[in-house]
């Protein structure tokens, strides 16, 4: 071969390797052979020349072409993993597996059970691998190593502004947590903030940080904070904040003296989401820009080709300040399938040719349960469903013909679910068979035990909504995706890639399988195929999304008319887009009133001129704006008038926290009017009652009342079911879906839907919506009455789910509501709590109390609040 003088040997080798027919034939054959292996199909394997396949794998792993290097390394890794599965006894394959994992820098993969004691036979390779490993060693971890791209990210964290992306399995958050640990151990006294998108992730990240630092927290005077009510915030410490954007914004508004030196935005692709939550990211960064010095800001997102887009949130950022990185290399492989149960056909997907290849017919009578059993009977399986209702339905259907496992741990967990939730809860029945469902509304201690049981392999199969896959890392071998929807919306490429990345975790295995399953005729085949074949497109920040941007001029028109309800915008948009535009409008009026330039104001600038800005400033002067973007001025004015008229929270009297139910309903109906829930909360607390005008409010009031009394979930659910028995015409709902017009008290299915809905109301309505409105009522009450605190503060009661000061104190120390209730039980209180010099202390013997949730939480809290514990 004659190489052109302007072309290197590497360029000549790799330029057209992607289109090499023989390579593609080998890869396609290996995928076919692997497919008939996992589906247990009695078909002849396709012939593969193993020696040639190994050469291709080795060649791809050594690719040096910058624009194709990640793709080639991943392809070489996939080839050798497929070969090792199909030819497990071939010694040359075993050797190449170790060699190729070393070549691509996958040293963590070398520590897996697939590779036992690999030693290269080449002395020069051995020298290079040792040198390479030494440069990738994780600080503080003698035998652990970064991937090459992880090391590049780690080095990039020293930049002022940095945005990076990579596959889900890259371990983006792990790198930042390692960096923070190293900074703190090296004497840093900065305050660090980590933004995560969900409350479930708060607990995981918080626990990871505390677990990695342990005694170092006390030695370096650091504390990890996850809520503005945490007791450690009242003390003199350095802090690591782990919060959602909403929580961090509220804390910064309420505690303006707190300094933040470093902000890490995890799952930054949420800034591209439609809906109002994305607006909090803009506001958090804008609040930080008001500090004396802008902190370091780092964005991390999955699979985004242009991660630098999120740096546009930083006001007045200069081009030379932008540092970005987009990695495509993943340390684990995913093999993808499309199973069309409606047509009875199975296909494997080739990521490199972007094509589907037929494997075999699926028997027409086969359902999801048969497929999962055939593929994953001895493996760990996650089944994704797009709604809470389907999670329950599919789990029950799958478990129908499976035997009970008679495992002591499962029996214990099932018993606790019956005691804590309800005796008829389907979840308890499923647990006994090694199956669970995992949704956001489950109590944290139950979720924790489900996750631990899955990691331990006692639970084999979990049915879930997007809650699980948005952050919890579990060792799944197989992921079954039953719909291309997330809720009622179609999943986009980012959501799909993030979902797929949850299977095959380097901590547990080198590969995983993804099955897209079409189970209903109304689901469109092309939409599944598009998810498999489409690359993640360039991303926009949310205000620049077409559905938002095309309505910005309408926002301006409404504002210059003084219409803060944005009537024109509301009529022209969906409720999700209106929620976002309303928050953007509140940010804009504040920016104009203060005369500052932010990315939000810049986005509106094409639709503004001097006159329009003057009119907006005149109608919404500084006193009619707020940094709190949960509430617009019309709501605040109404609220102030209500509080000034003498309105208080309903009275709580007696040992049993008695509250006049009708007084509570009347109070909530007043808030409904004041805050205009019929306009701004149409899907939940503002929903019109079909049964009677206040029926929705009465339903929420039943749950709210039991919640603030500190009732256990079992009691709350009992009273919710009683309410439905007495008011069957209110129907059966799960979220916004009406499943039955009349509630049937004898239907176990109906009971389980009400259980799901009740737990969902606590998680999404009480602890989010109502808590927000009560927070605002309490702030206004303090402002009007000129007090710092008051006795009957229902915001605090809702936030902590109790009126009991001890339970509140324990939660402010880091315990969950469930664990706090366990500790405050008289027998446990006498055993584990004591007073020292008038201060409450906890005996370390609680670490062996027998309650898994309490023990797990205490392991973290003893390091984060060491002064709370005595021997």
């Amino acid at each position: 071969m004659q190489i052109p003088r302007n072309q290197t040997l590497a360029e000549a080798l790799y330029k057209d390797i992607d289109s090499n027919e023989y390579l593609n034939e080998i890869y396609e054959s290996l995928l076919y052979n692997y497919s008939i292996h996992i589906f247990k199909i009695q078909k002849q394997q396709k012939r593969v020349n193993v020696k040639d396949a190994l050469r291709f794998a080795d060649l791809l792993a050594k690719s040096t072409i910058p624009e194709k290097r990640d793709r080639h390394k991943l392809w070489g890794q996939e080839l050798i993993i497929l070969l090792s599965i199909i030819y497990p006894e071939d010694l040359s394959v075993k050797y190449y597996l170790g060699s190729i994992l070393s070549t691509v820098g996958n040293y963590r993969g070398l520590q897996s059970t697939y590779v036992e004691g690999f030693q290269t036979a080449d002395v020069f390779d051995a020298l290079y691998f040792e040198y390479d490993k030494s440069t990738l060693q994780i600080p503080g971890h003698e035998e652990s190593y970064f991937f090459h791209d992880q090391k590049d990210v780690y080095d990039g964290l020293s930049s002022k502004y940095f945005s990076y992306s990579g596959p889900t399995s890259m371990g983006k958050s792990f790198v930042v947590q390692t960096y923070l640990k190293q900074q703190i151990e090296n004497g840093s006294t900065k305050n660090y903030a980590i933004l995560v998108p969900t409350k479930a992730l708060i607990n995981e990240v918080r626990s990871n940080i505390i677990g990695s630092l342990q005694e170092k927290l006390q030695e370096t005077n650091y504390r990890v904070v996850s809520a503005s009510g945490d007791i450690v915030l009242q003390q003199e410490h350095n802090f690591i904040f782990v919060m959602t954007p909403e929580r961090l914004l509220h804390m910064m508004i309420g505690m303006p003296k707190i300094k933040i030196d470093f902000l890490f935005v995890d799952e930054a692709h949420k800034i591209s989401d439609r809906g109002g939550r994305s607006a909090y990211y803009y506001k958090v960064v804008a609040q930080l820009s008001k500090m004396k010095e802008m902190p370091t800001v780092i964005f991390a997102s999955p699979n985004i080709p242009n991660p630098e887009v999120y740096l546009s949130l930083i006001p007045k950022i200069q081009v030379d300040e932008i540092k970005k990185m987009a990695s495509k290399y993943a340390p684990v492989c995913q093999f993808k399938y499309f199973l069309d149960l409606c047509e009875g056909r199975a296909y494997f997907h080739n990521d490199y040719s972007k094509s589907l290849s037929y494997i075999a017919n699926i028997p027409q009578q086969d359902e999801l349960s048969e497929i999962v059993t055939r593929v994953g009977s001895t493996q760990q399986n996650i089944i994704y469903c797009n709604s809470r209702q389907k999670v329950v339905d599919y789990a029950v259907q799958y478990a129908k013909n499976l035997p009970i496992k008679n495992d002591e741990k499962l029996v214990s967990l099932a018993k606790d679910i019956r005691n804590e939730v309800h005796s008829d809860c389907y979840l308890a029945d499923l647990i006994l068979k090694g199956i669970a469902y995992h949704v956001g509304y489950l109590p944290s201690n139950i979720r924790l035990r489900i996750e631990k049981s899955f990691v331990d392999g006692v639970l084999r199969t979990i049915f879930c909504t997007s809650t699980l896959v948005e952050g919890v890392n579990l060792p799944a071998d197989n992921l079954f995706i039953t719909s291309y929807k997330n809720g009622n919306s179609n999943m986009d490429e980012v959501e799909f890639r993030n979902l797929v990345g949850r299977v095959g975790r380097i901590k547990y295995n080198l590969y995983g399988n993804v099955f897209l399953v079409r189970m209903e005729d109304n689901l469109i085949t092309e939409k599944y195929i598009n998810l498999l074949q489409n690359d993640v497109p360039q991303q926009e920040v949310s205000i620049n999304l077409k559905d938002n941007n095309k309505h910005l001029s309408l926002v301006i028109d409404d504002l210059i008319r003084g219409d803060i309800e944005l009537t024109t915008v509301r009529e022209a948009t969906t409720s999700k887009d209106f929620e976002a535009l309303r928050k953007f409008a509140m940010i804009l009026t504040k920016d104009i009133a203060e005369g500052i330039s932010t990315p939000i104001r810049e986005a509106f600038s094409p639709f503004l001129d001097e006159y329009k800005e003057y009119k907006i400033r005149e109608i919404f002067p500084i006193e009619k704006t707020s940094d709190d973007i949960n509430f617009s001025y019309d709501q605040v004015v109404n609220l102030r008038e209500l509080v000034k008229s003498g309105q208080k929270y309903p009275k709580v009297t007696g040992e049993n926290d008695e509250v006049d139910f009708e007084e509570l309903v009347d109070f909530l109906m007043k808030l409904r009017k004041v805050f205009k829930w019929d306009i701004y909360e149409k899907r939940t607390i503002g929903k019109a009652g079909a049964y009677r005008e206040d029926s929705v409010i009465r339903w929420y009031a039943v749950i709210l009342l039991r919640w603030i009394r500190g009732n256990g979930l079992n009691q709350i659910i009992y009273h919710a079911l009683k309410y439905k028995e007495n008011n069957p015409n209110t129907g059966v709902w799960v979220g916004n879906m009406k499943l039955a017009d009349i509630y049937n008290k004898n239907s176990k299915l109906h009971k389980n839907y009400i259980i799901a809905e009740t737990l969902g109301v606590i998680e999404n309505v009480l602890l989010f919506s109502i808590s927000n409105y009560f927070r605002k009522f309490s702030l206004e009450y303090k402002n009007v009455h000129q007090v710092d605190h008051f006795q009957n503060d229902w915001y605090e009661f809702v936030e902590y789910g109790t009126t009991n000061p001890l339970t509140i104190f324990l939660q402010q120390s880091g315990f969950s509501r469930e664990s706090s209730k366990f500790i405050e039980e008289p027998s446990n209180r006498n055993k584990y709590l004591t007073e020292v010099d008038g201060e409450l202390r906890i005996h370390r013997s609680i670490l062996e109390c027998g309650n898994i949730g309490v023990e797990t939480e205490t392991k973290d809290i003893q390091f984060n609040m060491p002064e709370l514990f005595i021997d």
Side-chain angles (χ1 to χ4, degrees):
M1 172 176 72
Q2 187 171 1
I3 300 170
R5 295 185 180 216
N6 62 349
Q7 194 175 33
T8 66
L9 175 61
E11 287 170 337
L13 278 172
Y14 294 111
K15 180 182 176 185
D16 299 317
I17 195 170
D18 295 41
S19 56
N20 184 289
E21 288 185 14
Y22 187 35
L23 167 61
N24 280 282
E25 180 189 326
I26 287 174
Y27 183 63
E28 187 85 2
S29 297
L30 287 172
L31 284 176
Y32 177 83
N33 292 346
Y34 175 64
S35 301
I36 63 174
H37 163 71
I38 62 166
F39 284 110
K40 302 175 178 64
I41 297 170
Q42 299 302 313
K43 278 190 174 185
Q44 185 71 34
Q45 284 195 357
K46 292 187 178 180
R47 186 177 174 279
V48 174
N49 185 311
V50 174
K51 185 181 281 189
D52 291 348
L54 291 172
R55 284 175 176 163
F56 271 122
D58 187 51
L59 189 63
L60 286 164
K62 292 173 178 170
S63 176
T64 56
I65 306 298
E67 63 274 12
K68 293 187 177 181
R69 184 172 53 216
D70 284 351
R71 171 185 167 92
H72 288 164
K73 286 178 183 288
L74 189 56
W75 199 355
Q77 184 174 268
E78 283 187 20
L79 277 168
I80 192 60
I81 287 172
L82 284 168
L83 286 164
S84 68
I85 298 167
I86 298 166
Y87 307 104
E89 303 304 320
D90 191 311
L91 294 179
S92 61
V93 170
K94 286 184 177 181
Y95 177 81
Y96 268 86
L97 175 61
S99 176
I100 286 169
L101 291 177
S102 298
T103 300
V104 299
N106 193 348
Y107 296 112
R108 289 188 71 188
L110 277 171
Q111 295 171 334
S112 72
T113 54
Y114 292 92
V115 190
E116 296 176 6
F118 166 74
Q119 293 289 330
T120 178
D122 188 296
V123 66
F124 293 108
D125 278 352
L127 288 171
Y128 171 75
F129 293 152
E130 286 306 311
Y131 168 75
D132 194 41
K133 281 169 70 175
S134 69
T135 65
L136 298 176
Q137 185 175 328
I138 298 173
H141 298 265
E142 198 170 310
E143 292 299 321
S144 297
Y145 306 94
F146 286 131
F147 312 121
H148 286 116
D149 286 354
Q150 281 185 325
K151 181 63 165 63
D152 290 342
V153 167
Y154 184 84
D155 294 340
L157 296 176
S158 301
S159 307
K160 181 71 171 176
Y161 306 122
F162 179 37
S163 186
Y164 65 96
S165 66
T168 308
S169 54
M170 177 188 178
K172 298 178 292 299
S173 307
F174 166 76
V175 178
V176 170
Q177 290 171 28
T178 302
Y179 176 81
L180 295 192
K181 181 174 184 270
Q182 202 60 23
Q183 292 292 302
I184 290 166
E185 289 181 347
N186 289 342
S188 171
T189 56
K190 293 179 178 179
N191 285 343
Y192 299 91
I194 298 177
L195 279 195
V196 294
T198 65
K199 285 197 289 185
L201 266 176
I202 288 178
N203 295 332
E204 182 177 337
V205 173
R206 178 180 179 273
S207 183
N208 286 343
I209 290 173
I210 294 173
S212 68
L213 287 165
Q214 296 191 354
E215 288 90 353
K216 289 284 183 183
L217 285 169
Q218 186 171 13
E219 291 172 20
T220 57
N221 194 33
Y222 267 91
R223 297 294 184 268
V224 183
V225 178
S226 56
S228 56
D230 286 3
I231 287 172
V232 292
L233 264 179
Q234 301 166 19
Q235 305 162 352
E236 291 295 321
H237 300 292
N238 308 312
F239 297 111
I240 303 169
F241 301 104
V242 183
M243 296 183 173
T244 59
E246 296 94 325
R247 283 193 186 187
L248 186 64
L249 178 60
H250 293 156
M251 187 191 74
M252 287 193 294
I253 293 170
M255 303 176 179
K257 291 184 180 179
I258 286 180
K259 187 174 178 244
I260 293 173
D261 304 285
F262 181 102
L263 175 71
F264 172 64
V265 182
D266 200 5
E267 305 288 322
H269 64 290
K270 297 293 182 181
I271 302 168
S272 295
D273 280 0
R274 289 171 64 186
R277 291 201 69 191
S278 67
Y280 290 98
Y281 290 94
Y282 295 86
K283 195 62 188 172
V284 163
V285 175
Q287 287 294 108
L288 292 175
S289 70
K290 295 177 183 179
M291 291 183 175
K292 192 173 182 181
E293 182 185 352
M294 185 71 183
T296 294
V297 181
I298 310 292
F299 295 96
S301 44
N303 306 300
I304 304 300
N306 59 324
E308 67 277 7
V309 70
Y310 302 123
L311 291 169
S312 66
L313 267 67
I314 299 170
K316 299 177 182 176
I317 188 170
Q318 302 299 310
V319 174
D320 60 355
E321 294 179 304
I322 291 176
K323 184 174 175 61
K324 62 177 181 176
M325 175 183 161
S327 168
K328 292 184 179 177
Y329 171 72
V332 296
C333 305
Q334 286 99 26
F335 303 113
K336 304 179 187 74
Y337 296 88
F338 174 53
L339 309 180
D340 192 336
L341 300 191
C342 301
E343 298 293 330
R345 293 171 73 82
Y347 305 84
F348 66 80
H349 184 256
N350 183 327
D351 278 340
Y352 298 94
S353 63
K354 293 194 179 298
S355 61
L356 283 176
S357 296
Y358 169 77
I359 307 167
N361 286 342
I362 304 171
Q364 287 287 341
Q365 69 273 16
D366 272 16
E367 295 180 337
L368 178 67
S369 52
E370 279 87 10
I371 301 291
V372 176
T373 302
R374 185 181 308 153
V375 172
S377 58
T378 61
Q379 295 180 311
Q380 303 295 100
N381 309 296
I382 292 177
I383 293 96
Y384 164 81
C385 310
N386 71 303
S387 72
R388 286 181 281 164
Q389 175 213 348
K390 285 182 178 175
V391 164
V392 176
D393 289 349
Y394 288 169
V396 170
Q397 182 186 27
Y398 173 65
K400 189 168 53 180
N401 298 318
L402 293 180
I404 289 173
K405 295 185 76 172
N406 292 320
D407 182 282
E408 284 183 19
K409 291 180 181 177
L410 297 182
V411 170
S412 172
L413 178 53
K415 181 182 176 183
D416 289 346
I417 290 169
R418 293 191 204 282
N419 290 336
E420 290 185 38
V421 181
H422 195 272
S423 57
D424 280 333
C425 182
Y426 279 146
L427 182 58
D429 301 337
L430 297 170
I431 291 288
L432 293 172
K433 297 184 175 187
I435 301 155
Y437 53 78
H438 186 293
V439 281
Y441 57 67
L442 286 175
S444 60
N445 61 324
I446 298 294
R447 282 206 311 265
L448 179 74
R449 290 177 67 182
I450 287 172
E451 291 161 15
K452 188 176 186 307
S453 298
F454 191 75
V455 171
D456 293 343
V458 183
L459 281 175
R460 289 286 189 193
T461 302
I462 290 183
F463 290 76
C464 69
T465 57
S466 60
T467 309
L468 177 66
V469 294
E470 277 180 349
V472 180
N473 295 326
L474 293 177
D477 299 298
N478 303 304
L479 170 67
F480 297 84
I481 301 174
T482 62
S483 176
Y484 50 74
K485 290 181 175 290
N486 185 356
N488 294 322
S489 304
N490 288 340
M491 205 183 294
D492 63 25
E493 292 86 356
V494 179
E495 290 172 317
F496 175 70
R497 296 291 166 189
N498 203 19
L499 177 57
V500 165
R502 299 296 168 187
V503 67
R505 310 292 292 180
I506 191 62
K507 187 176 178 181
Y508 305 104
N509 44 30
L510 286 173
Y511 68 96
N513 304 307
V514 179
F515 305 91
L516 278 72
V517 189
R518 179 172 175 253
M519 300 170 58
E520 302 171 24
D521 288 325
N522 63 334
L523 292 172
I524 301 166
T525 300
E526 286 70 24
K527 292 190 183 295
Y528 285 104
I529 296 172
N530 287 341
L531 284 178
L532 283 168
Q533 298 186 350
N534 289 352
D535 292 327
V536 175
Q538 297 273 314
Q539 296 296 294
E540 294 272 14
V541 292
S542 59
I543 196 166
N544 290 334
L545 295 175
K546 183 177 69 174
D547 292 291
N548 287 329
N549 197 266
K550 69 182 180 182
H551 294 116
L552 297 186
S553 61
L554 294 181
V555 172
I556 301 297
D557 292 344
D558 279 340
L559 289 178
I560 60 178
R561 284 196 297 270
D563 181 4
I564 195 63
E565 288 184 10
L566 303 180
T567 308
T568 311
V569 177
R570 193 168 72 249
E571 290 172 353
T573 60
T574 65
S575 57
K576 179 178 272 193
D577 293 330
F578 172 70
E579 183 188 355
L581 289 162
R582 178 172 173 253
K583 285 180 167 54
F584 292 145
M586 285 187 267
I587 296 173
L588 177 66
T589 56
K590 179 78 171 173
D591 291 347
I592 290 175
E594 290 185 338
I596 61 173
S597 178
T598 69
I600 294 293
R601 190 172 178 183
E602 287 171 16
F604 277 101
S605 61
F607 311 101
L608 287 165
D609 55 32
E610 283 188 26
Y611 171 75
K612 288 178 179 177
E613 288 203 3
Y614 165 76
K615 284 292 293 180
I616 291 172
R617 193 179 298 111
E618 183 182 49
I619 297 168
F620 302 104
I622 191 74
E623 62 270 18
K624 290 188 177 182
T625 66
S626 172
D627 286 318
D628 188 345
I629 57 174
N630 280 307
F631 307 99
S632 47
Y633 184 64
D634 56 329
Q635 294 173 305
V636 175
V637 168
N638 292 343
L639 176 62
R640 192 162 296 153
E641 289 176 1
L642 181 68
V643 175
K644 283 182 176 178
S645 73
Q647 182 65 55
K648 299 178 180 179
Y649 284 116
K651 294 175 187 174
V652 179
T653 58
E655 289 185 9
N656 296 320
D657 294 334
E658 293 300 325
V659 175
D660 185 307
F661 184 74
E662 295 305 324
E663 183 186 356
L664 174 58
V665 171
D666 180 62
F667 176 72
L668 291 173
M669 289 298 284
K670 284 178 181 175
L671 292 192
R672 186 181 196 273
K673 183 177 180 182
V674 160
F675 286 119
K676 302 181 179 179
W677 289 346
D678 59 324
I679 295 174
Y680 301 130
E681 299 281 359
K682 286 195 295 188
R683 287 178 290 180
T684 53
I685 48 180
K687 188 160 56 180
Y691 175 52
R692 50 184 283 182
E693 185 186 346
D694 60 358
S695 62
V696 174
I697 292 294
R698 299 180 81 84
W699 160 245
Y700 291 138
V702 169
I703 300 169
L704 169 62
L705 196 50
R706 299 290 162 184
W707 176 255
I708 69 150
R709 281 178 179 162
N711 286 178
L713 291 176
N714 194 296
Q715 288 176 286
I716 294 172
I717 289 166
Y718 169 81
H719 286 282
L721 291 169
K722 268 293 176 198
Y723 176 83
K724 285 294 178 180
E725 283 183 32
N726 296 332
N727 301 275
N729 292 331
T730 56
V732 179
W733 295 77
V734 173
N736 290 315
M737 286 183 59
K738 191 173 190 180
L739 304 177
D741 291 326
I742 306 292
Y743 171 72
N744 178 1
K745 67 178 183 179
N746 298 315
S747 166
K748 190 171 181 178
L749 181 63
H750 278 198
K751 281 184 183 178
N752 272 272
Y753 285 149
I754 301 305
I755 291 169
E757 180 63 3
T758 304
L759 294 172
V761 165
I762 293 169
E763 179 72 16
N764 302 313
V765 179
L766 294 197
L767 295 178
F768 189 74
S769 297
I770 288 178
S771 174
N772 254 333
Y773 288 107
F774 280 14
R775 179 181 65 83
K776 191 64 177 176
F777 184 91
S778 293
L779 287 171
E780 194 59 43
Y781 187 91
K782 291 173 188 176
N783 186 42
V784 168
H785 294 279
Q786 295 293 293
V787 294
D788 290 330
H789 66 276
F790 58 100
Q791 288 297 312
N792 190 35
D793 189 347
W794 278 53
Y795 166 62
E796 197 171 74
F797 300 163
V798 170
E799 191 71 3
Y800 298 109
T802 184
T803 60
N804 185 318
L806 172 59
T807 315
I808 292 172
F809 172 81
L810 290 170
Q811 289 185 66
Q812 289 174 331
S813 302
F815 288 102
S816 64
R817 180 179 186 263
E818 294 85 0
S819 295
S820 300
K821 284 179 62 59
F822 173 85
I823 295 169
E824 76 173 40
E825 288 174 10
S827 59
N828 293 326
R829 181 171 182 166
N830 293 334
K831 193 185 299 184
Y832 302 118
L833 300 185
T834 190
E835 277 196 17
V836 177
D837 299 330
E839 300 284 337
L840 189 70
R841 295 290 180 264
I842 302 176
H843 290 284
R844 290 189 194 276
S845 59
I846 199 171
L847 285 162
E848 297 175 357
C849 68
N851 182 305
I852 294 173
V854 174
E855 290 176 1
T856 304
E857 290 172 18
T858 305
K859 284 175 186 174
D860 288 342
I861 298 166
Q862 66 175 332
F863 297 118
N864 202 44
M865 267 192 84
E867 66 276 10
L868 187 61
F869 293 85
I870 58 171
D871 294 324

